[in-house]
Each structure stands twice: as structure tokens, then as C-alpha cells.
Amino acid sequence: MSKKLLILFFTFFISFNSYASNALYKAYEGLDIKYRWLDTVNYDTHTIDISGLHTSTPHQFGYEFRQVLGKDTLSHIGLTYGYKAGSHWAGFGITSSSNKPFTSLNLIDFDVFYAFRIFQHVTEYENIKGRATAFYSRLYLGVEYSTSRDFLDGYPLPVIRYEYNKPGVNVIFGLPLTYFKVDFLKYSSIEFEYVPVIDVLFSLNLGVNKSNIFQLQFQMENDMYKLSNLIKDVYYSDQEKYYVDTIAARFRYSLTIKDIVRISPYVEFIIDGHHYVSKQVQLFNSSSMGMGYAAGIDISAFF
């Protein structure tokens, strides 16, 4: 019995890459504009990505737009809404990731979740920008339904989110997001983020001062799209999807101007990657992109 429970928990742990882990769990309010050029042996693209999160307490409004041009012509469009007040946290979203987004109902994905804060304990306060800011530990439990996961899309799954926050330490552990950032020098830190199934980011952040940070990063990322010629009138988990994943080592420089704008150019070495059609994400497959390079720039505005 215990073995079955362990397998069930592991299945949950690797099956949760969906809208809820991205839009509503964004760490800050603001606007992000990104450009990336990717060129490997068997795959090349130019990608423009625009996303934002805006808050009018207790409401959150988010949007995402991604356009991929080159080897593939793909788009991602999404709108999200969140409500967070007291112990309650809820949200829903509508997205379409496809070569022809929103042109048919089976190219549209829906997400909804609700979580309840089980406890919150304030550990200490610190004066930041003239106001007392609380540092805390807290736990949310809930449920999420998504039609756009890498695994088990179309089925409800649990939401587990434990947060621990204090000066120099920021930890989030659970489903669908695990994240930590720990300072080891005044302007330097180690950062890790994991969104199942294979989205991983490790970053060594070395700061000259608060505004100038050099970053050495390793990233595995996966994007999922529904091609209009592949989708059939079947249940979500039986639909064939198009996946693009990359494994990269990155050197990135971040310049922050007056805590309002951050500009981050970067170069990457693409270790490997894949693009393939499957009913679920494949950790190993034969459609290799091959090695190559990428470069880009991220611009973020904080509100």
C-alpha cells in the first residue's frame, strides 16, 4: 500500500506544469518584454515574449503573449485573473498555444484553482522603503483543474504551497512550484526554480552592487503547443501535442535602474534540445535539435 501511495505522490509531483504555476505565482507586479534568437544544428527561431501582472487588491490581472518565428511559427496568448484576500486564493485563466490560436474550441485551454491558507506565522518585521514589511512562514492547500498540463491534463490535482520568507532567504516548496533564493554575500545569491516536469533553473548570481549582477545559469525548459492539424475531438489527455524543449548554459548580465527597470542581455550555449509530437512530454526522444547558440535580452519594469 505504501508503495502505491509513493508512486501516486511522485506522479502528482511530476505532472503539474500549467498556467497556475506561471501567471498567478509570479514573484512581482510589472511588465516583462523578452527577445530570444535561437540557432542550433536542426532548429532556429526568433521569439518575442510579453507578459505582465497588475494588482488592484484583492484582484490580480495577468496577460501573456509569445510569438515564435523561424523553424516553427507558433503563438501563445493567455489572460488570467486571481483573487487573494484573507485566507483565500483563487484564480482562473484562458489560454491558447498553437499555430492558429483561438481558431477552434479544442485549441483553447482553461485553468481554475482554489487554495486556502492553513496557517501563517510572522517571524519578524523589517523597515523597507519607509514601511514595516513582514517576514513569514505560511501554508496553502487547494486544488487545481487544468486542460494544458504536460501530464494528467483534464484532471483535478492538489495545490500545496509552503512559503518561508526572511531577510536573505526566500523559499517556496510544493506543487506546482518549488523555488528558493539564498543570499551568501551582500549582493550575491544562489537561486533555484523547478516547475514539473522538466522546467529547471539554477542561477549563481554574483553582484558588484545592488544594481549590477552577473549570472551563471543552467536551464531546462519545455513549451507545449497544440497544432491545428493534430488536434482531434478527443479527451484532453488523448490529444497529441507539439513540444519544444531546450537545455542551455547561460551567461547573463542584469542592470537595475532605480528599482524601476531591469535590463538583462544574455548569451547561451545550447547543450541539446528536442522538438516532437507526443501525447505527453517525453524526457528522452530521438528528435534532437543538436548543439548551438542563443542570445537575447529581457527588459522588466516593476510597478
Side-chain angles (χ1 to χ4, degrees):
M1 181 66 180
S2 59
K3 184 177 180 180
K4 291 183 178 179
L5 289 174
L6 181 63
I7 293 173
L8 181 62
F9 177 79
F10 181 75
T11 301
F12 282 159
F13 191 75
I14 67 171
S15 64
F16 221 78
N17 188 354
S18 66
Y19 132 88
S21 61
N22 297 307
L24 289 181
Y25 292 168
K26 187 174 178 180
Y28 59 87
E29 182 181 10
L31 172 68
D32 292 319
I33 301 174
K34 303 178 180 180
Y35 167 76
R36 185 192 194 196
W37 165 67
L38 171 69
D39 188 10
T40 67
V41 174
N42 301 311
Y43 195 84
D44 60 272
T45 55
H46 297 266
T47 302
I48 298 173
D49 202 320
I50 300 171
S51 64
L53 182 69
H54 306 281
T55 301
S56 178
T57 305
H59 308 284
Q60 293 179 320
F61 303 91
Y63 52 88
E64 302 171 328
F65 171 78
R66 182 186 309 122
Q67 183 64 57
V68 180
L69 299 171
K71 180 76 174 183
D72 289 318
T73 300
L74 302 165
S75 300
H76 169 86
I77 302 171
L79 296 173
T80 64
Y81 168 75
Y83 176 87
K84 193 174 184 180
S87 299
H88 303 277
W89 191 2
F92 65 86
I94 178 172
T95 62
S96 185
S97 298
S98 174
N99 56 331
K100 297 180 180 180
F102 290 106
T103 55
S104 65
L105 185 60
N106 54 17
L107 296 176
I108 301 174
D109 290 302
F110 304 92
D111 300 84
V112 60
F113 87 95
Y114 170 77
F116 181 79
R117 192 179 70 218
I118 302 300
F119 74 83
Q120 176 172 276
H121 173 66
V122 176
T123 58
E124 61 182 293
Y125 289 88
E126 184 175 298
N127 190 299
I128 298 178
K129 295 183 178 180
R131 63 182 181 182
T133 298
F135 294 94
Y136 52 80
S137 64
R138 60 192 180 195
L139 174 67
Y140 285 93
L141 296 179
V143 64
E144 189 232 21
Y145 174 84
S146 174
T147 63
S148 63
R149 296 194 202 102
D150 293 336
F151 275 76
L152 298 179
D153 46 343
Y155 295 94
L157 289 178
V159 170
I160 304 170
R161 182 181 176 93
Y162 172 75
E163 302 177 357
Y164 179 78
N165 183 289
K166 64 176 290 186
V169 179
N170 185 7
V171 175
I172 300 171
F173 179 78
L175 303 171
L177 174 69
T178 294
Y179 171 85
F180 73 78
K181 183 178 181 181
V182 179
D183 295 344
F184 63 89
L185 292 173
K186 186 174 183 180
Y187 302 113
S188 300
S189 62
I190 295 175
E191 194 170 0
F192 175 81
E193 181 177 315
Y194 174 61
V195 181
V197 177
I198 56 174
D199 286 74
V200 177
L201 173 65
F202 174 81
S203 182
L204 175 62
N205 309 317
L206 303 173
V208 178
N209 51 43
K210 184 175 70 172
S211 301
N212 294 269
I213 308 292
F214 295 91
Q215 298 171 293
L216 300 175
Q217 299 179 327
F218 171 82
Q219 185 167 26
M220 301 171 62
E221 58 181 336
N222 176 269
D223 293 318
M224 180 185 73
Y225 299 89
K226 295 182 176 181
L227 303 186
S228 57
N229 62 318
L230 292 178
I231 295 298
K232 300 176 181 178
D233 189 18
V234 296
Y235 191 66
Y236 292 108
S237 59
D238 292 326
Q239 293 176 345
E240 289 190 322
K241 308 171 186 75
Y242 182 61
Y243 293 91
V244 180
D245 62 66
T246 56
I247 304 173
R250 178 184 306 120
F251 174 75
R252 170 177 160 135
Y253 165 69
S254 292
L255 172 65
T256 303
I257 303 172
K258 296 184 178 180
D259 294 326
I260 298 175
V261 176
R262 183 175 61 212
I263 302 172
S264 303
Y266 63 86
V267 292
E268 292 178 318
F269 171 66
I270 306 301
I271 301 169
D272 198 3
H274 303 91
H275 55 108
Y276 55 94
V277 174
S278 176
K279 290 184 180 180
Q280 61 185 22
V281 65
Q282 302 293 312
L283 296 181
F284 303 98
N285 51 73
S286 58
S287 51
S288 174
M289 292 181 182
M291 292 189 295
Y293 300 91
I297 186 169
D298 300 344
I299 301 175
S300 300
F302 309 108
F303 301 152

